[in-house]
Amino acid sequence: MNKPNAPAPQGTPGDAPPPEVSFREAFLFWLKLGFISFGGPAGQIAIMHQELVENRRWISERRFLHALNFCMVLPGPEAQQLATYIGWLMHRSWGGIVAGALFVLPSLFILIGLSWMYVALGDMPLVAGLFYGIKPAVTAIVLQAAHRIGSRALKNRVLWGIAAASFVAIFALNVPFPAIVAVAALTGYIGGRLAPDAFKARGGHGAAGGGDHRPALIDDDTPTPPHAVFQWRRTGLVLLVGALLWLVPMSLLTATVGWTHTLTQMGAFFTKAALLTFGGAYAVLPYVYQGAVGTYGWLTPLQMIDGLALGETTPGPLIMVVAFVGFVGGYVKAVLGPDSLVLGAALAAVLVTWFTFLPSFIFILCGGPFIETTHGDLSFTAPLTAITAAVVGVIVNLALFFGYHVLWPEGFAGHFDTLAALIAALAAVALFRFKRSVVQVIGACALIGLLLKSLS
């Protein structure tokens, strides 16, 4: 019998679904995911798809994409929310909380350590060398994610057209991502009524595997479990607990250090940022930059850029750059006094992470039961199918954004980085041709970058 934590062999339409997954098995997987979730949201979603849909068969492709579409329209990090959703669907509220928390915690601890090295040691040639190799690899990972998702989501000319239009809108016209999502959803809603065949979800086994139907633990026709059935009482309880988890720490901060203190202001500011992150981290980074650098002076523009580099090259959501902002801001402002600079900085990093991610858990635990009742309803799935197509175009734009900054670090007027281009090409070959894992590619490219920088 195949263990659910090992890749299943190629099967036949008669294969049985994998056995039930224990909470311990799921816990170990989510912990592993927290340490290997490189590549930004696109790379992280690709990892989860490969592990959960293709290898372990814990959830079918159609149910996976349905959950992903919901997470795409929420403010907050969609990959972390997707992990929370699947964890909740499998093991109730605690399963979702554990999955979402483990997606974030490894990145938080890593960033606290790197941030301490940054402020204490200054220039870090070792880390700079590692970053030099990782950045081109991330570009290739995002391209691979666009290919993987696009090959499954873009099943006809209509969806290809939506993807192309979203790419032009964001790349050439600089249309905000929330507007692209809204137009795509409206297109899907109208199209689902006028041409329903073009917007029917085709992400099931047959579409993905060329007719090789290998049943999943949570399959297309698996009944919604009792805990995922919508109930007003349960929704009200989640909202009440979520409100208390925000109100209690904010009240304690206000009562102990005052409203104008740096820690209190960080809590309020990053709560607002969490509610504005439609379209992922890049959509909200300008807002974080404006507030952290311009309004509050928690760090300098150069430090913000360095923090973004750390966020791009560590596991976890890219929005985890807020932990760096909190650490540096807490250190500079000496939030616990000059004798406790590092402790105060670490406290600030934890605090801003709490206020940034708390809304995501509330959104999933409140909205999940409603979404589970709609995975067979075309009036709801058609808009989400169109959104998925639009997101493919946005991911391609993100790959070009990475590629531009990696290959022309000083802009088109500057030099073309031939070595970075070579690393990106090698990473792409490893991913597309030899099917190497993201972790293997990231590790190999980091070592190449370190070697090149040490020889230069």
Side-chain angles (χ1 to χ4, degrees):
M1 180 178 294
N2 295 320
K3 295 181 179 180
N5 61 342
Q10 294 297 320
T12 65
D15 281 350
E20 289 292 329
V21 178
S22 68
F23 188 88
R24 179 180 179 275
E25 287 177 296
F27 178 94
L28 293 176
F29 169 75
W30 299 122
L31 178 62
K32 171 190 172 182
L33 181 66
F35 283 100
I36 67 171
S37 55
F38 291 93
Q44 292 153 3
I45 291 168
I47 292 172
M48 279 192 282
H49 183 276
Q50 183 175 16
E51 289 286 341
L52 298 178
V53 177
E54 297 179 1
N55 294 348
R56 301 167 191 264
R57 292 186 290 147
W58 287 0
I59 186 169
S60 72
E61 172 122 2
R62 187 171 297 170
R63 298 287 283 268
F64 180 91
L65 289 178
H66 188 72
L68 173 60
N69 290 335
F70 170 56
C71 297
M72 288 289 187
V73 300
L74 293 174
E78 59 267 32
Q80 184 262 350
Q81 290 169 333
L82 180 61
T84 304
Y85 189 104
I86 296 174
W88 161 78
L89 191 58
M90 294 180 64
H91 293 109
R92 308 174 66 91
S93 295
W94 276 113
I97 292 170
V98 166
L102 291 179
F103 197 90
V104 172
L105 287 178
S107 177
L108 173 61
F109 293 134
I110 291 170
L111 276 172
I112 287 177
L114 292 177
S115 300
W116 172 78
M117 294 175 62
Y118 180 87
V119 299
L121 304 179
D123 186 29
M124 296 184 294
L126 172 65
V127 176
L130 295 174
F131 284 2
Y132 182 76
I134 291 174
K135 288 179 182 179
V138 170
T139 303
I141 290 168
V142 175
L143 272 176
Q144 186 208 33
H147 176 265
R148 290 173 64 90
I149 296 175
S151 64
R152 290 170 169 83
L154 307 182
K155 295 300 182 182
N156 55 58
R157 293 180 180 180
V158 173
L159 298 179
W160 270 100
I162 293 173
S166 73
F167 172 77
V168 172
I170 197 169
F171 178 80
L173 305 178
N174 200 29
V175 176
F177 184 81
I180 293 175
V181 169
V183 172
L186 180 61
T187 302
Y189 179 77
I190 297 173
R193 292 173 174 271
L194 299 179
D197 288 343
F199 292 89
K200 285 182 179 178
R202 292 182 173 86
H205 301 286
D212 182 17
H213 189 156
R214 300 170 59 218
L217 186 62
I218 303 174
D219 217 331
D220 296 346
D221 55 357
T222 300
T224 301
H227 72 272
V229 176
F230 180 81
Q231 294 181 9
W232 282 110
R233 178 178 175 274
R234 184 178 294 143
T235 300
L237 180 62
V238 171
L239 289 172
L240 175 62
V241 173
L244 290 175
L245 290 175
W246 182 89
L247 186 61
V248 169
M250 183 60 70
S251 299
L252 289 175
L253 287 172
T254 304
T256 54
V257 297
W259 174 252
T260 59
H261 191 271
T262 297
L263 291 177
T264 312
Q265 290 296 298
M266 282 182 173
F269 174 76
F270 284 103
T271 297
K272 291 186 288 184
L275 299 175
L276 292 174
T277 53
F278 289 98
Y282 279 103
V284 80
L285 281 176
Y287 177 76
V288 173
Y289 178 93
Q290 183 182 35
V293 176
T295 304
Y296 296 104
W298 294 331
L299 69 175
T300 66
L302 180 60
Q303 289 172 330
M304 185 69 189
I305 295 172
D306 292 339
L308 180 58
L310 286 173
E312 287 176 344
T313 51
T314 51
L318 179 56
I319 196 60
M320 280 303 299
V321 68
V322 301
F324 176 86
V325 173
F327 189 97
V328 174
Y331 190 94
V332 170
K333 298 296 184 180
V335 293
L336 294 183
D339 296 328
S340 302
L341 291 178
V342 175
L343 180 61
L347 174 62
V350 172
L351 184 77
V352 301
T353 302
W354 174 268
F355 284 108
T356 299
F357 285 92
L358 177 61
S360 291
F361 288 94
I362 299 173
F363 291 145
I364 295 300
L365 296 181
C366 278
F370 172 74
I371 298 304
E372 276 302 300
T373 65
T374 63
H375 59 77
D377 184 354
L378 183 62
S379 64
F380 190 83
T381 59
L384 296 183
T385 299
I387 290 171
T388 300
V391 166
V392 174
V394 174
I395 294 174
V396 172
N397 173 73
L398 179 62
L400 293 180
F401 175 86
F402 275 136
Y404 168 73
H405 287 281
V406 168
L407 302 182
W408 286 274
E410 300 170 2
F412 284 128
H415 74 285
F416 177 80
D417 195 331
T418 306
L419 292 177
L422 179 61
I423 295 174
L426 291 173
V429 171
L431 290 166
F432 286 94
R433 175 67 179 84
F434 296 102
K435 311 298 182 184
R436 297 293 90 188
S437 71
V438 170
V439 176
Q440 291 172 327
V441 172
I442 286 282
C445 291
L447 291 177
I448 293 173
L450 182 60
L451 179 62
L452 292 174
K453 282 298 183 181
S454 65
L455 295 176
S456 62

